[in-house]
Amino acid sequence: MKVSEAHPPDSGEDSQHAARAAELAELLAHLTTCWDEDRRQLARRLHDSLGSSMTALTMHLALLSQHLQEQPQRDRAAQMKQLLNNIIETNRKMQLALWNDKLEFLGPKAAIAELVQEWGREHGIKAKASLPDDDPDYTRAQGVALLRCAEEGLRNVAKHAQATMVDVILDDDGDQTMLTIRDDGVGPGTGVSPSLSCHGLRMLRERARVLKGTLTLGPGPDGKGTALTLILPRQGA
């Protein structure tokens, strides 16, 4: 009886799998870039068209209100003004959710600072941003990844963490950039906190891979709460 020898792995098949994985990674990077650009353009159109029109209507209504004498008419004008203000605020929030202009004109540092401040006010949770004194020069893709990480981290804190305090920390040593979102909530592994298998974090992890970076999710430094950390190399920035 002959004993068959173990066959080594098929290097050709491995090469095909590697090539396929590279193709999918390239496609995902392209789709992500297109998605970001579509969001940026839509936010700009909302600002330039709808936002400008609503602001102009508010000004016209204010001029007309000056000539109204009857109280019922003045009350109706006040209601219309409040309605327009609500639409303007809703439009502003939609623009911000799609694309933060501060990211493009002032950089990730300003965009993250604004995000943390507004998120804390909206959710009634103490939120603090610790940012570097300098504003490093990031590529657009790096800046978008940092902001999306902050958004996703804060979104998961609001949804899962049951936290009372959140710290968003951006560090840059010139060689790499590290963004950490940590909270004092229930922590991972409790059946409540998200894992890297959820779609939002999976997409964020793929963004990190395209940029040669890493995304990790685990307990906070003292073993309490959750820490989401994105690390990106600074090469090519």
Side-chain angles (χ1 to χ4, degrees), residues 188-206:
T190 62
V192 178
S193 294
S195 68
L196 286 179
S197 62
C198 77
H199 292 301
L201 292 177
R202 287 174 65 186
M203 179 60 72
L204 191 58
R205 181 178 58 188
E206 293 306 317

Side-chain angles (χ1 to χ4, degrees), residues 93-224:
K93 289 181 178 180
M94 289 173 60
Q95 293 175 40
L96 190 60
L98 288 168
W99 187 265
N100 191 329
D101 272 347
K102 283 187 171 60
L103 177 63
E104 192 163 7
F105 297 109
L106 299 178
K109 178 180 171 181
I112 291 173
E114 179 183 61
L115 171 68
V116 173
Q117 182 181 20
E118 293 207 359
W119 182 91
R121 183 168 55 248
E122 178 181 354
H123 294 279
I125 298 176
K126 184 178 179 181
K128 182 177 66 174
S130 299
L131 306 171
D133 293 333
D134 298 329
D135 202 353
D137 184 19
Y138 299 108
T139 65
R140 173 180 284 186
Q142 290 171 335
V144 172
L146 290 169
L147 183 58
R148 295 292 179 241
C149 181
E151 290 172 343
E152 185 65 25
L154 291 174
R155 185 181 301 114
N156 286 325
V157 170
K159 187 175 181 180
H160 303 287
Q162 303 172 28
T164 61
M165 184 173 62
V166 181
D167 288 321
V168 178
I169 305 165
L170 180 63
D171 288 321
D172 193 304
D173 62 5
D175 294 324
Q176 66 179 17
T177 298
M178 181 170 68
L179 177 67
T180 301
I181 301 94
R182 65 188 187 195
D183 62 69
D184 63 349
V186 296
T190 62
V192 178
S193 294
S195 68
L196 286 179
S197 62
C198 77
H199 292 301
L201 292 177
R202 287 174 65 186
M203 179 60 72
L204 191 58
R205 181 178 58 188
E206 293 306 317
R207 282 184 183 270
R209 285 179 177 175
V210 168
L211 297 172
K212 312 300 182 183
T214 60
L215 182 75
T216 58
L217 178 71
D222 56 357
K224 298 179 181 179

Side-chain angles (χ1 to χ4, degrees), residues 41-58 83-95 98:
Q41 291 184 6
L42 180 55
R44 175 53 53 187
R45 289 171 184 169
L46 287 173
H47 176 274
D48 293 344
S49 179
L50 183 59
S52 299
S53 297
M54 290 298 103
T55 301
L57 283 173
T58 302
L83 179 60
L84 284 171
N85 287 337
N86 291 341
I87 296 174
I88 290 172
E89 179 61 16
T90 300
N91 184 50
R92 186 191 70 83
K93 289 181 178 180
M94 289 173 60
Q95 293 175 40
L98 288 168

Side-chain angles (χ1 to χ4, degrees), residues 61 72-86:
L61 181 60
Q73 295 176 338
R74 297 176 66 88
D75 292 341
R76 179 61 60 89
Q79 293 174 2
M80 294 174 63
K81 180 180 179 181
Q82 184 59 49
L83 179 60
L84 284 171
N85 287 337
N86 291 341

